[in-house]
Amino acid sequence: MTLAPFTLRGHNPDVLTCIANLSNDEVFTPPEFANQMFDTLATAWADANNGADIWANPDVTFLDPFTKSGVFLREIVRRLTDGLILTIPDLAQRVDHILTHQVFGIGITQLTALLARRSVYCSKFANGPHSIATSFTTEDGNIWFERTEHTWGGGKREFRVDPLTSEEIAVYTNRKCVYCGAGEDDYARGGDLETHAYAFIHTDDIKARMAELFGDNMQFDVIIGNPPYQLSTGGHGVQARPIYQQFVDQAKKLDPRFLTMVVPSRWFSGGMGLDAFRESMLNDDRLRSIDDFLSAADVFPGVGLKGGVCYFLWERDQPGSCQVTTHFNGWEDSTATRPLLEAGADVFIRFNEGVSILKKVMEVETGSSDSVLLPEGKRFMELVSSIGAYGLDSTFRGRDRRSPGDLAVYRNGGVGYIARSEVLKEQHSFDSWKVFIGRAAPGTGNKDTYPHRIISTPFLGEPGSISSWTYMYIGPFGSKREAESVLSYLSCRLTRLLILLHKPSQDTTKRVYTFVPVQDWNQTWTDELLYERYGLSDEEIAFIERVVRPMDLSVDE
């Protein structure tokens, strides 16, 4: 068969740019983005190997342990095919060597395994007549998939009567998978449905498992890919359970020379089961670069994934500082080499510019920029209540009319009333001024947009008022003037930037105020006063105003 001229073939669309994602859990990687990750890898390989070209090495082995479309493996094959032309001049022999000795994958479902083989071997059967590999003896080749079952554990034992035999039998309810935490009610499925029990994380010994699949002597030099992000727990979106961190941890146990993955950026601040993972990553000096994309839509068009995504490069043999690059459509990239964990911080500070601003704030507040930890007595978070401080849930409605002595309850959708005797928590705050603020920040649909507000619009709480689960309170204060001063402070862009630096999601718990200092509550605060107080440069001010939107306290958003 004669190939069409190159100029004509170049106009054919790449099918892997056209296919739709399976879900927000299993997102297909665009070829252009995969190649950006490969460029980062190639530079790091050259730096570690006296300028050598990774794509010209016939002995380097690659693993995508959660292949979906096969894009990573396909692009590796394409690059190696070009790079090894001098080492293995015959094209057929070169391609066969690459496919049988250098490139390996594990499908996450039967469908994606078939798709990956079609992308890499040009045939869903590795040993089929249309396969571009000539030495495989199995249909799978080096892209493995077999149905894996969850291992259920825990739960509650109950005794029930068998309706057929009338015998009492023991059954277990609310069991979860001991490996991934999937609920049995959601993922115990028949043979005709995918289990989503991913083989790479459903094992106690990943090295032994890889030996079973690919041979006892297999050692992967590079592990690369885009793992599943979450498992549904009966809800959706932020209610889902993150699992991508388990794939990262398993990959590290295989001890590759390089590891690079694209994952959600929420791990920067932890939460939702990610705290231990965040700590391990931020204290790992083998994490050499992070490319952070503030909007996931800039990487995965049409995907509703709040908080952005990043890809990282982990290098086993050359530990050191990390190069952090921030990307956002329409902005100039920001790059800095810096520690992943600033002294006194318990989260990764996402913005390079945010580090210098935060250190200037600490210099004024503590007399030193060596640590970003505020001392007791200077922490705004000490004024912020816990979620649901008054013990009234988000469905609370209350009475429509106020009786003498009742408390006004600010709730979702308005105000209700309740007798004082029915509220047993935070009684010291009942008759003081306070500021109420929404537990969740305002939404922006499925995309991260900048500038944005960071928090919902706060409002004054008069004496005799409390709130349901929908709001937290800040205070209490002895006068309306103090509460109004706090209100003005929260409307300032700098204040909300400091909140953003510790905020992993839409939830604005008291923890997100970690970097916010207290002020004197005897004046109306403005950004101009705060900029002057902390000596911010024009460039730092411009950054703040690019990221944080003005807030009009008279408009509830």
Side-chain angles (χ1 to χ4, degrees):
M1 180 177 67
T2 303
L3 290 175
F6 178 79
T7 53
L8 177 59
R9 289 188 287 123
H11 283 81
N12 292 337
D14 184 346
V15 67
L16 298 189
T17 67
C18 305
I19 56 177
N21 294 303
L22 299 178
S23 67
N24 284 352
D25 304 352
E26 300 165 352
V27 179
F28 291 133
T29 309
E32 295 82 1
F33 188 74
N35 278 291
Q36 184 174 340
M37 295 173 65
F38 285 130
D39 290 342
T40 301
L41 169 66
T43 298
W45 180 277
D47 290 343
N49 292 277
N50 299 315
D53 182 1
I54 189 174
W55 313 115
N57 189 324
D59 299 317
V60 179
T61 53
F62 300 83
L63 171 68
D64 180 352
F66 22 75
T67 187
K68 296 184 283 291
S69 68
V71 64
F72 287 101
L73 301 180
R74 188 195 69 175
E75 293 304 300
I76 291 170
V77 172
R78 183 182 62 80
R79 287 177 176 238
L80 288 172
T81 300
D82 292 338
L84 292 174
I85 190 169
L86 297 180
T87 304
I88 310 176
D90 182 84
L91 177 60
Q93 292 180 8
R94 186 162 73 249
V95 170
D96 189 64
H97 170 84
I98 294 166
L99 295 177
T100 56
H101 291 87
Q102 293 189 262
V103 176
F104 301 81
I106 298 174
I108 63 170
T109 64
Q110 184 177 21
L111 173 63
T112 59
L114 292 170
L115 179 58
R117 292 187 198 111
R118 181 64 182 81
S119 298
V120 178
Y121 305 140
C122 298
S123 169
K124 66 179 181 179
F125 301 121
N127 62 347
H130 303 293
S131 174
I132 58 174
T134 58
S135 299
F136 283 127
T137 58
T138 65
E139 294 181 350
D140 291 353
N142 284 338
I143 300 177
W144 178 92
F145 175 78
E146 286 183 9
R147 180 185 175 91
T148 302
E149 300 293 339
H150 293 283
T151 302
W152 308 117
K156 181 180 179 181
R157 187 171 69 166
E158 298 179 356
F159 291 94
R160 299 176 182 175
V161 176
D162 189 316
L164 298 179
T165 65
S166 298
E167 294 181 0
E168 190 175 59
I169 58 173
V171 297
Y172 289 86
T173 60
N174 298 320
R175 294 195 299 178
K176 296 185 181 299
C177 178
V178 299
Y179 292 109
C180 70
E184 185 175 17
D185 291 344
D186 295 319
Y187 288 95
R189 298 172 171 179
D192 56 338
L193 295 175
E194 294 284 359
T195 64
H196 297 282
Y198 305 112
F200 194 66
I201 60 174
H202 282 70
T203 177
D204 293 316
D205 189 337
I206 187 60
K207 287 189 175 181
R209 189 69 172 125
M210 291 300 99
E212 292 174 10
L213 302 187
F214 301 115
D216 291 338
N217 298 321
M218 179 55 65
Q219 172 64 44
F220 297 105
D221 296 299
V222 177
I223 298 178
I224 188 168
N226 179 10
Y229 294 160
Q230 59 195 26
L231 282 176
S232 171
T233 55
H236 63 280
V238 296
Q239 295 179 329
R241 175 190 178 93
I243 59 168
Y244 58 88
Q245 73 279 8
Q246 294 180 252
F247 291 94
V248 177
D249 290 340
Q250 286 286 70
K252 287 183 179 181
K253 292 177 184 177
L254 289 177
D255 199 33
R257 293 180 65 181
F258 291 88
L259 166 64
T260 179
M261 293 187 190
V262 52
V263 297
S265 295
R266 285 187 176 180
W267 70 266
F268 293 166
S269 296
M272 193 62 178
L274 293 169
D275 287 342
F277 175 70
R278 178 202 67 215
E279 184 177 356
S280 69
M281 290 285 277
L282 296 184
N283 287 284
D284 189 344
D285 60 3
R286 296 166 294 179
L287 193 59
R288 299 307 311 279
S289 73
I290 296 175
D291 280 76
D292 178 27
F293 296 80
L294 301 182
S295 174
D298 290 345
V299 176
F300 305 117
V303 173
L305 184 66
K306 295 287 290 182
V309 297
C310 69
Y311 74 84
F312 65 85
L313 180 74
W314 180 93
E315 185 174 357
R316 183 191 66 194
D317 300 328
Q318 292 202 120
S321 296
C322 185
Q323 178 178 284
V324 180
T325 302
T326 304
H327 307 268
F328 188 72
N329 187 28
W331 294 6
E332 183 177 348
D333 288 350
S334 170
T335 300
T337 299
R338 57 184 176 92
L340 287 170
L341 204 57
E342 296 293 329
D346 61 348
V347 299
F348 173 69
I349 298 173
R350 188 170 195 181
F351 300 95
N352 295 324
E353 297 86 348
V355 176
S356 64
I357 293 170
L358 184 56
K359 287 187 173 183
K360 286 188 174 182
V361 171
M362 296 301 155
E363 178 72 37
V364 171
E365 297 298 338
T366 69
S368 172
S369 61
D370 293 339
S371 172
V372 295
L373 180 64
L374 287 164
E376 289 187 16
K378 289 201 171 187
R379 302 171 184 170
F380 188 88
M381 67 181 294
E382 295 170 6
L383 297 173
V384 183
S385 76
S386 59
I387 294 175
Y390 293 105
L392 303 176
D393 64 29
S394 58
T395 61
F396 174 84
R397 303 299 298 173
R399 294 191 293 270
D400 293 333
R401 294 186 178 184
R402 190 172 197 166
S403 298
D406 278 0
L407 295 169
V409 182
Y410 288 98
R411 55 170 174 76
N412 187 22
V415 180
Y417 300 97
I418 190 172
R420 287 172 178 255
S421 60
E422 296 182 48
V423 184
L424 304 180
K425 297 182 177 181
E426 305 292 309
Q427 293 178 345
H428 68 283
S429 70
F430 286 178
D431 295 312
S432 299
W433 286 92
K434 55 195 79 73
V435 172
F436 291 119
I437 189 164
R439 179 186 63 82
T444 55
N446 286 333
K447 294 183 179 181
D448 291 290
T449 58
Y450 291 89
H452 62 84
R453 294 166 53 84
I454 317 301
I455 59 175
S456 62
T457 304
F459 58 94
L460 284 179
E462 71 282 5
S465 65
I466 61 173
S467 66
S468 72
W469 185 278
T470 302
Y471 300 101
M472 299 183 300
Y473 81 86
I474 300 169
F477 303 105
S479 68
K480 182 179 181 180
R481 176 178 173 82
E482 289 179 285
E484 288 178 333
S485 179
V486 170
L487 201 61
S488 68
Y489 185 52
L490 289 171
S491 73
C492 292
R493 281 166 148 168
L494 175 57
T495 307
R496 288 179 286 133
L497 176 79
L498 296 176
I499 294 171
L500 178 64
L501 297 182
H502 207 292
K503 183 172 177 287
S505 66
Q506 281 187 285
D507 284 338
T508 52
T509 64
K510 66 183 301 177
R511 186 167 169 261
V512 307
Y513 297 88
T514 295
F515 297 142
V516 181
V518 296
Q519 306 292 346
D520 292 327
W521 309 125
N522 58 7
Q523 64 177 310
T524 299
W525 287 99
T526 66
D527 270 314
E528 289 68 29
L529 287 172
L530 292 176
Y531 294 159
E532 182 179 358
R533 173 174 171 77
Y534 296 115
L536 301 189
S537 68
D538 291 342
E539 291 77 13
E540 289 166 334
I541 292 171
F543 167 75
I544 293 170
E545 297 185 352
R546 188 168 72 233
V547 172
V548 185
R549 186 152 58 96
M551 175 180 283
D552 183 350
L553 291 173
S554 66
V555 178
D556 185 13
E557 293 188 46

